[in-house]
Amino acid sequence: MNQTPVIFSGIKATGKMHIGNYLGAVKNWVTLQNSGDYQTIYSIVDLHSLTIDIGKEELLANTGDMTIDLLATGIDPKKSILFIQSQVKEHAELAWVFNCILPVSELEKMTQFKDKAKRHKDNVNMGLFDYPALMAADILLYHATAVPIGDDQDQHVELTRKVARKFNNRWGEYFQEPQTILTKIPRLMALNDPAKKMSKDLGPKSYIALSDTPDEIRDKIAKAVTDTGGGKNAVGGKNLIDLFEAFVDDDNIAAKFKGDYKNGQLQYSTFKPMLANVIISALKPIQEKRKELAKNSDYVASVLKEGAEKARTMAEKTMREVREKIGLL
Ligand code: TRP
């Protein structure tokens, strides 16, 4: 048996994609897809989005926006399977099985759960607690052997390996343990608060969305917190250097600014406008593609329909085998 290895990853429908999502994970999704070495499967995980208090219209709009963003950044439905998680029922079904082998004590260790429970005290629901079981189901349904993600998700993939081992111990060797794949910048920091990870939760000044206008980008970079004053913001300058390196084509310029930064000689008044320009031009082709796709909703719908069909065929096979292994009729 010499099958193409499977790569799986997911992204929540939290609205428009920002450069933290893009550089932390999605850029890698595209590279892995284009390598031709894998069957790549990518999902917009709307069931995971339900763990926070989100309205119907917002969820629908976010799912649509994320689909367009993924296609605009280069996810190619001819090469990858792209689908919406809730359209393949087996995700929820396998998550239930995993619920029955996952100790509560393991879930209690998850830092993401602890953080979110603290931040949304009024909505600490079971789904939030159980989030990693569903994530393990996402990955293992397709027998993925590698998962490209940002570093905040590493603990969940580690737990997925544990789930695979527990399943195999109880019902016989079946699932392979997946590995994490990180990008060069697995964690981009918030522009307005560089001690924290770039995130929608910290408000629009924290991040640059792929769809931000040139003026918005210039403004956010101009106001980005740098190392001035040291202390907890000491990573702010480094974060901007990382961004420059990720988006610029000319390695020499990047090396020069990096050197200046290290020597404490970086002139932000020169560097920041250049950084803004580099980001603006890197995002331009993505934004043009985005506009085109937004006009073509029939095409986008057909991509998702086909993606769900392909994913379903694989997921149904796994669930048939799982049911048979564990004694469900
Ligand atoms: N939890 C991931 C995040 O917040 C999204 C996700 C859900 C995912 N299921 C997954 C990532 C499976 C990788 C594999 O970013």
Side-chain angles (χ1 to χ4, degrees):
M1 213 169 56
N2 212 350
Q3 279 178 353
T4 316
V6 173
I7 293 223
F8 182 96
S9 197
I11 190 160
K12 267 178 302 190
T14 47
K16 296 189 174 122
M17 194 190 295
H18 58 68
I19 54 174
N21 307 130
Y22 179 61
L23 297 178
V26 174
K27 201 170 169 213
N28 231 2
W29 296 12
V30 177
T31 309
L32 291 161
Q33 159 196 279
N34 292 339
S35 74
D37 294 335
Y38 310 96
Q39 162 69 268
T40 40
I41 307 177
Y42 301 125
S43 183
I44 296 157
V45 292
D46 54 348
L47 295 173
H48 278 107
S49 302
L50 287 182
T51 59
I52 56 159
D53 191 6
I54 187 171
K56 169 185 166 179
E57 298 306 331
E58 197 188 349
L59 180 58
L60 285 170
N62 285 355
T63 306
D65 273 333
M66 192 52 88
T67 309
I68 291 178
D69 277 332
L70 287 169
L71 293 170
T73 50
I75 300 298
D76 178 354
K78 291 200 190 75
K79 297 180 183 161
S80 292
I81 299 177
L82 177 65
F83 73 104
I84 309 285
Q85 183 191 34
S86 67
Q87 299 206 318
V88 180
K89 293 192 178 66
E90 284 73 14
H91 288 251
E93 193 178 354
L94 186 59
W96 177 258
V97 174
F98 290 166
N99 272 335
C100 300
I101 52 175
L102 249 179
V104 168
S105 58
E106 291 289 344
L107 291 168
E108 279 169 344
K109 285 187 211 155
M110 295 296 114
T111 49
Q112 181 173 291
F113 170 70
K114 289 191 273 188
D115 281 356
K116 287 193 180 174
K118 220 188 285 167
R119 263 190 282 133
H120 308 277
K121 281 207 175 68
D122 51 338
N123 188 18
V124 186
N125 59 73
M126 277 305 290
L128 194 65
F129 187 58
D130 199 31
Y131 188 111
L134 182 59
M135 188 161 153
D138 297 342
I139 297 167
L140 296 178
L141 256 185
Y142 303 96
H143 299 281
T145 51
V147 188
I149 40 161
D151 71 348
D152 61 320
Q153 295 301 312
D154 198 22
Q155 196 185 25
H156 291 155
V157 179
E158 200 182 322
L159 191 64
T160 301
R161 288 194 282 275
K162 219 170 253 179
V163 169
R165 284 199 294 277
K166 283 194 177 284
F167 184 99
N168 294 347
N169 281 339
R170 176 151 165 195
W171 290 300
E173 210 50 43
Y174 181 63
F175 287 119
Q176 268 195 64
E177 293 182 30
Q179 300 308 311
T180 295
I181 303 180
L182 296 177
T183 59
K184 240 169 86 186
I185 313 179
R187 174 183 297 243
L188 209 58
M189 308 316 282
L191 299 175
N192 57 350
D193 185 358
K196 300 195 179 124
K197 194 190 129 190
M198 182 179 284
S199 154
K200 286 263 157 70
D201 292 349
L202 300 173
K205 293 252 163 9
S206 142
Y207 62 85
I208 291 173
L210 295 189
S211 53
D212 276 354
T213 63
D215 282 346
E216 285 169 323
I217 295 173
R218 275 190 208 102
D219 186 56
K220 288 180 187 181
I221 293 295
K223 294 196 179 119
V225 175
T226 59
D227 307 9
T228 328
K232 75 179 174 64
N233 293 328
V235 284
K238 164 81 170 42
N239 195 44
L240 298 182
I241 293 283
D242 280 351
L243 259 182
F244 193 87
E245 255 193 309
F247 281 120
V248 78
D249 288 328
D250 185 340
D251 292 343
N252 294 329
I253 304 184
K256 184 198 167 298
F257 281 128
K258 207 172 174 178
D260 287 351
Y261 172 72
K262 283 200 175 127
N263 301 331
Q265 286 171 341
L266 183 63
Q267 297 286 331
Y268 284 104
S269 55
T270 325
F271 173 65
K272 278 187 161 182
M274 275 188 79
L275 171 60
N277 282 337
V278 160
I279 298 175
I280 290 164
S281 43
L283 295 187
K284 198 161 171 242
I286 298 178
Q287 295 184 341
E288 278 165 7
K289 192 137 181 242
R290 203 181 187 286
K291 258 191 222 142
E292 228 174 85
L293 288 159
K295 281 189 271 180
N296 210 338
S297 54
D298 286 353
Y299 167 74
V300 176
S302 74
V303 164
L304 291 177
K305 183 161 177 280
E306 258 174 55
E309 278 161 13
K310 286 185 197 152
R312 205 174 288 129
T313 305
M314 295 174 75
E316 280 171 353
K317 175 168 185 287
T318 301
M319 263 332 284
R320 267 198 309 277
E321 291 168 358
V322 165
R323 296 172 77 93
E324 153 41 51
K325 281 192 99 63
I326 71 183
L328 295 171
L329 290 174

